[in-house]
Amino acid sequence: MRTTQRLVLALLAGALASSACGARLTSDQRADALAQGGSTGGAVDPGGSTGLPAAEGATGAVSGPVNGSTGGTTTGTTGTAATTGTGTTGSTTGGQVSSDWSKVPAGGNGGATDVGVTATTITVANVSDVTGAVPGLFEDARFAVQAYVKYFNARYPGGIYGRRLAVQALDSQLDTGAARSASIQACNDTFAGVGSISAFDQGAAPVIAACKSKGGYYPDIRGLATTDQMKAVPNAHPMNAAGVGDQRSFGQYGWLASKFPQAIKKAVFVYSDGEVTRQNAKQDMEATTNIYGFTWVDEIPVATTETNYAPAAQQIKNAGAEYVTFVGAYQQAANLAKAMAQFQFKPTVYMPTVTAYTPNFLTQSGTAVDGGNVYLAMPTSLLEERSGNPELSLYAQWLQQVKPGALPTSLGQFAWGAAALFVQETIKVGPSLTRGALLARLKGVHAFSPNHMYPDQDVGGRRMSDCVVVATITNHQFVRYLPAAGFRCQDGVYNLNTKKRVAGYPK
């Protein structure tokens, strides 16, 4: 991997520690996922899979939450739809959805009600890193949004009150200036942002914050926000709500205190050296020491260009470490695992960051990670458990329509969810669609996940979640370690200002 790529991935590993960057299915897993989702382009019934009520063109009966609310029930047949319930999500009361939302209402839909809206189309933007120093870095986000739009337009040919969805795919090119330019174009040409992920989104932050039409401020439902500048933009609502820079999730650390109470007394933090990773390492060590009693016996920054991890492994062994965590690219995490094995040193726990959740890590590490001591904590569903996750299967299926051979990813899960939330709340706004009306609804959405694809996210409140699923490696494969099912949501969040532990989302 080129030096630039190592640097970028190392920085992202720190900035995106709460997301499962790089997690992918193998070819065999992808085939299984497609089989679970039905034939490519097939008729998987999505009538309730993302919380949407059945509508014009949808066939069958769907029971489940409407708008992610509790208790809603929807039944629909071809050409008709009915919705009942007591919706509670967002600012909705009564849970009522017009049964004819998939066709133009009597008297018309108002035509061009705002930027990016016509009588027949709603155009959204996805601004993600596709080209640049690391080609394809966040193309998963683009493909996921395009896949959802293709699925929705096929499932509901009448669109939303007569308006079909369209995506303007823009490239932030792993560059601050390009992120700014693409966001200016998105502001001028599209109604809202959906599922965007840019490593240097600080370039886009002032543009999004200032973007306003007569209909209101630009709603930006990002896949996730990577910089504090974007996290602070009031009209940006990342699907992976990651706070505003003053919090660190305990999700990847809290469980260790109960499972490995002795190991955390001899902990070593290794990271690929960069500004972001240095800052995050300091914050994580402070938080875990103050709240959970970790004892960090060493801190080892490794140059981003370094390929020889033997000195780091020797230093870890000399420190007598029982718990080792690593922040950086999966290639570096593999190099460290192999170096420790060469020194015949095996800590009780080796926990690389989420970038290691990829078959490539297993391949590059070889037998060095087969000792039963490797653990990873992720905030999204395990891709290996796709057979029990209808939404993940649906995403895998429709992904093939926009990028044949592409593999589902954890980042793609958040981008797909952003598109699902956009549709859900746009329906609720009604035919007189404006940016301000949609943004008002987004601010009230405090529990959303498409069909439980991943833990509910407080998108409106932008509260950080501490929910994770922990995986280990058995027979050279990722398998669930804890909890037995679902997600662990109990470790809390550390407030860097008050130096106290607070409840994560959900409480």
Side-chain angles (χ1 to χ4, degrees):
M1 176 174 284
R2 297 192 303 268
T3 298
T4 304
Q5 291 175 313
R6 287 197 186 95
L7 175 60
V8 169
L9 289 172
L11 295 178
L12 289 175
L16 311 181
S18 61
S19 67
C21 178
R24 297 178 179 272
L25 295 176
T26 64
S27 297
D28 289 343
Q29 290 169 337
R30 176 174 61 81
D32 274 352
L34 297 180
Q36 291 293 337
S39 59
T40 302
V44 175
D45 181 8
S49 66
T50 55
L52 300 178
E56 183 74 22
T59 304
V62 178
S63 294
V66 175
N67 274 338
S69 63
T70 55
T73 300
T74 301
T75 303
T77 57
T78 302
T80 62
T83 301
T84 61
T86 55
T88 56
T89 291
S91 58
T92 302
T93 56
Q96 297 301 313
V97 180
S98 171
S99 62
D100 61 356
W101 62 261
S102 69
K103 63 182 181 181
V104 180
N109 59 18
T113 56
D114 209 330
V115 175
V117 180
T118 71
T120 59
T121 306
I122 304 170
T123 302
V124 300
N126 179 269
V127 180
S128 298
D129 295 331
V130 177
T131 65
V134 187
L137 183 62
F138 292 140
E139 66 181 7
D140 302 339
R142 171 187 288 186
F143 295 150
V145 172
Q146 290 174 326
Y148 188 90
V149 167
K150 193 172 186 70
Y151 141 71
F152 184 82
N153 285 339
R155 180 63 176 169
Y156 302 102
I160 302 173
Y161 299 105
R163 301 180 177 110
R164 289 169 64 82
L165 302 183
V167 181
Q168 186 175 104
L170 300 171
D171 187 2
S172 43
Q173 302 176 31
L174 203 60
D175 178 80
T176 302
R180 170 180 164 77
S181 297
S183 297
I184 291 173
Q185 184 175 345
C187 173
N188 292 335
D189 297 344
T190 70
F191 176 70
V194 176
S196 303
I197 305 179
S198 299
F200 301 113
D201 60 13
Q202 70 268 33
V207 175
I208 298 300
C211 181
K212 186 179 182 182
S213 63
K214 291 182 179 180
Y217 281 98
Y218 188 79
D220 194 0
I221 315 174
R222 306 187 73 79
L224 57 88
T226 61
T227 66
D228 288 347
Q229 292 94 322
M230 181 58 77
K231 292 173 186 177
V233 173
N235 50 313
H237 290 276
M239 177 53 57
N240 180 16
V244 291
D246 61 351
Q247 297 177 335
R248 296 292 291 171
S249 174
F250 278 132
Q252 72 248 45
Y253 295 115
W255 64 275
L256 288 157
S258 60
K259 289 293 184 179
F260 301 100
Q262 297 306 312
I264 66 172
K265 298 300 182 181
K266 289 189 175 182
V268 172
F269 205 119
V270 188
Y271 54 89
S272 183
D273 197 13
E275 181 180 353
V276 173
T277 49
R278 283 194 298 270
Q279 181 181 36
N280 288 347
K282 178 181 178 180
Q283 293 170 347
D284 286 346
M285 287 190 289
E286 171 191 305
T288 52
T289 298
N290 290 349
I291 304 301
Y292 285 108
F294 279 59
T295 299
W296 296 94
V297 297
D298 208 348
E299 173 186 350
I300 307 175
V302 181
T304 57
T305 56
E306 184 60 71
T307 58
N308 178 17
Y309 275 72
Q314 182 67 69
Q315 190 171 338
I316 291 169
K317 183 176 182 179
N318 292 344
E322 294 186 31
Y323 167 68
V324 178
T325 189
F326 176 79
V327 175
Y330 78 83
Q331 296 93 333
Q332 298 164 320
N335 286 339
L336 181 58
K338 289 188 292 186
M340 287 190 290
Q342 288 170 357
F343 280 97
Q344 296 183 327
F345 179 74
K346 177 183 173 183
T348 303
V349 175
Y350 175 44
M351 192 176 77
T353 193
V354 292
T355 53
Y357 183 45
T358 166
N360 295 331
F361 171 70
L362 300 177
T363 299
Q364 185 162 327
S365 300
T367 59
V369 294
D370 289 339
N373 68 323
V374 180
Y375 301 87
L376 299 94
M378 279 84 63
T380 55
S381 298
L382 290 179
L383 301 174
E384 288 78 12
E385 297 177 353
R386 64 213 170 274
S387 62
N389 193 318
E391 197 75 17
L392 184 54
S393 295
L394 188 67
Y395 159 41
Q397 173 196 350
W398 284 91
L399 182 61
Q400 299 308 299
Q401 294 289 304
V402 299
K403 183 67 174 179
L407 304 174
T409 68
S410 293
L411 289 182
Q413 290 185 48
F414 284 127
W416 174 278
L421 179 60
F422 171 80
V423 166
Q424 175 181 286
E425 297 306 311
T426 297
I427 289 172
K428 287 301 186 182
V429 169
S432 298
L433 184 61
T434 64
R435 287 172 166 175
L438 177 59
L439 188 60
R441 291 206 54 82
L442 292 174
K443 292 180 182 296
V445 176
H446 297 296
F448 181 81
S449 173
N451 198 24
H452 309 294
M453 177 185 263
Y454 43 74
D456 279 349
Q457 302 290 306
D458 183 1
V459 180
R462 298 190 296 187
R463 287 186 295 166
M464 180 176 281
S465 171
D466 61 349
C467 296
V468 295
V469 56
V470 181
T472 188
I473 297 173
T474 301
N475 296 325
H476 215 62
Q477 295 180 337
F478 295 112
V479 297
R480 174 181 288 268
Y481 176 70
L482 66 82
F487 295 84
R488 178 185 172 98
C489 306
Q490 65 189 65
D491 295 315
V493 169
Y494 184 69
N495 188 298
L496 295 167
N497 297 322
T498 64
K499 311 299 183 184
K500 294 181 179 180
R501 177 185 182 274
V502 297
Y505 176 83
K507 292 183 178 180

